[in-house]
Amino acid sequence: TIHAIWTENASSPTRVRYAGVSVTPVSITDNTASSSNITPKVISYSGTTGATQPSTMRHLVRTSEATLHSFIQMGTNTTTCGSGGLWWLYSTDSGTTWTCGGQLLSDTSYLMYADARADASDNLYAVYSVAASGRADTYDVFYRKLTKGAGSTWTLEAAQTALNGSATGTGYHYATVELEGTTRAWIATRYFDG
C-alpha cells in the first residue's frame, strides 16, 4: 500500500487529504500497466494552503503496528483539533478516522512544518522549522520525541530547541531528520547568515 497525504484548494480553508492505495507489482518486461482508483479522505482543514509543505519533509509516517502518523500545519483553522498551529494526528484504522494526538506548536504567526521518522521500536522523532528564507529570531529548529507506549499509544515529549536563530543574525529553514539506529538523530537544515 502506498500512503499519500496532500492539500487542495488555493484559499482557506484548505482540505488536507489522505489516501492509501494498494498497487499490484508488474513486470517491466511484459509492458503492462495497472491503475488504481484513489478515494481520498479529508482528515483535516487548515488556514494555510501549504499545510503539508514543503515536499522535502516527510509528513506521514507508518509504524510497525500499522498506525499512521501525520504532522499538519493547521494555521489559524480550529475546526479539526480545537486550535491552530502544528499538530500530530494519527489513525489506527488505515486512515478511515484520525485523532488529534497533540499540538507541537501553537504559534500561527510563524508557520512551522514537521519532518518525522520512526525508529525500530516505533518511537517517533519530529523536527520542525519554518519554510521561509532570510533570518528572524523565530527561525529556529525544534525537536520532539514521541515515545511509544503500550498498543497504539505515544507520549509527546517536551519540545527542545535544536538550533536557535535568536540574536545570532542567522535563520534555519526546511529542517529534516534521519535516524542512525536508536541512539542518534541527524538534522539537516538550510542555514542563513546574511
Side-chain angles (χ1 to χ4, degrees), residues 99-117:
T99 302
C100 297
Q103 187 179 47
L104 278 71
L105 187 69
S106 62
D107 189 346
T108 59
S109 56
Y110 293 97
L111 301 181
M112 292 200 169
Y113 302 89
D115 179 75
R117 302 290 187 276

Side-chain angles (χ1 to χ4, degrees), residues 41-76:
K41 170 158 184 50
V42 175
I43 65 170
S44 176
Y45 291 91
S46 177
T48 176
T49 56
T52 59
Q53 74 125 4
S55 63
T56 57
M57 295 176 165
R58 183 178 294 173
H59 309 287
L60 184 64
V61 177
R62 183 179 182 270
T63 47
S64 67
E65 85 300 342
T67 299
L68 297 167
H69 304 267
S70 180
F71 297 85
I72 299 174
Q73 176 51 258
M74 305 287 187
T76 57

